[in-house]
Amino acid sequence: MVGPLWTPWLGVYFRRSLCRRRRHHPWPRVAAQAADRGAPRQTICSAAAHFVTSGLQTPFDVGIVMVTVVRDTLAQAMRSVFAQAFRGRMQILVGVDRWQGDRAVVETLQREAPSHVAITTLDLGYSTSQRNGGVYPSHYGGALKTILSYAANSRHVTYLDDDNWYAQNHVESMLAAVKDKAWAFSLRHFVDAETGQLLCEDTWESLGPGRGVYGKAQGGFVDTNCFFIDKFACNDVFPEWAMTRFAGGTGGDRQVLEKLRSRPYGSNDAYTVFYRTRLTGLHPYLLWRFKRAGVDLARFMPPQAIPGDAVWKQCADFDRAQDVAGSSAAA
C-alpha cells in the first residue's frame, strides 16, 4: 500500500530515478597494451570506414556524443546513426567510461561506418566519474559528455546513450527543428529494456519545458537523448553534464534544461528516439501512466510487482486533482 500521491513526490522521484536506465557492474581489468607492460592503454583516435572525403578538419553537420561502457546494445545504437536518412557529414564521438564489453565491437563498428560518418573514439584509460574512482560527480560518464561536446568538430551536438537508438529521420528532422534556435528537442518512445519490445509513446515525462508530469514541480523534463544543441548559442551549458548536483551523481539532464529553458528552442514534434526502460521498480504512478497508455504490465513485470486496484484508484484521484490528464493531452 502506498501513501497519498502529491506534487512534492514528483521532485523527489525526479532526483532519484530519472537516470534509472543505466546499470553499472564491476568491469574486467584491461590487459596492458602500451610499451610499458604495466601502463594502462590510452587512445584518442578518429576513424571512418572509407574516410570522410572532405577530411576530419572540415566541420561536420552534426556531432553525436555517445558515452559508453561498451554494452551489448552499443551496436544497435551506432547502426541507427549509420542508417539515418540524412546524408550530410556526421561525426560520432564515442567516449569509453570503462570497458564492460569487447574492444572488437568498437573496431567492427568503425569498419562498418558509411563514408559520410566519422567515428572519433576517446579512451583515456580511466574513468572520470567518482563512482569509479574519478574526479567528477556525474555517475553517468563523469566529464565525458562535457569533453566530447566541446571536442565535436561541429556547431550542433546531440547525444545517444549506448542502450537507445534513433529513428531514421531523427537527425534530419532535428536539424530542421534547431534552425534559427539555440536548441531543440525530440520526443521519445519507451522500449522494454529486457525484450526490446516497443511499449508506447512517452506522453507524460520528456515533453519539454513546462510540460508533462514534471511541468509544475520541476519546470518540465527533456531526456538526454532528445537534446539537440547549437554550441555557439549554448557553450556555457556543457559543464552541467559533469558537475551534477543531485544524490547518486544524477541530474545532468535536468541541470542542462534549467540553463536552456529561457533560450529560443524548437522541436521536431516527433517520436524519433527509442528509450529503454524497466517497468519493475518504477513508482506506482508511473506504472499507472503506462497502464493508461495501453501497456499490458503483466507481460513485462512479475505479478507481485503490479499494484492493486486500491493503488490505481489513488493514481486516478491524483490525476483528477492535478489535472495531469488534461495538461498532457494539451501538450
Side-chain angles (χ1 to χ4, degrees), residues 34-45:
D36 179 352
R37 298 179 67 85
R41 176 179 177 178
Q42 302 175 8
T43 58
I44 304 174
C45 61

Side-chain angles (χ1 to χ4, degrees), residues 149-217:
S149 295
Y150 287 119
N153 192 23
S154 60
R155 176 167 179 167
H156 293 102
V157 66
T158 187
Y159 305 90
L160 181 60
D161 291 336
D162 66 359
D163 54 350
N164 300 320
W165 72 92
Y166 291 151
Q168 285 188 329
N169 64 331
H170 179 75
V171 170
E172 186 173 59
S173 64
M174 290 302 291
L175 281 170
V178 81
K179 185 177 181 181
D180 300 323
K181 307 291 185 182
W183 66 283
F185 69 93
S186 71
L187 303 174
R188 66 180 182 177
H189 291 276
F190 284 119
V191 177
D192 179 59
E194 299 298 332
T195 65
Q197 293 185 37
L198 187 67
L199 295 174
C200 60
E201 295 174 345
D202 176 5
T203 60
W204 58 89
E205 280 193 350
S206 182
L207 301 181
R211 302 164 70 186
V213 296
Y214 301 113
K216 293 180 180 179

Side-chain angles (χ1 to χ4, degrees), residues 208-230:
R211 302 164 70 186
V213 296
Y214 301 113
K216 293 180 180 179
Q218 303 293 343
F221 172 62
V222 174
D223 175 60
T224 300
N225 301 268
C226 299
F227 280 113
F228 209 95
I229 299 174
D230 183 330

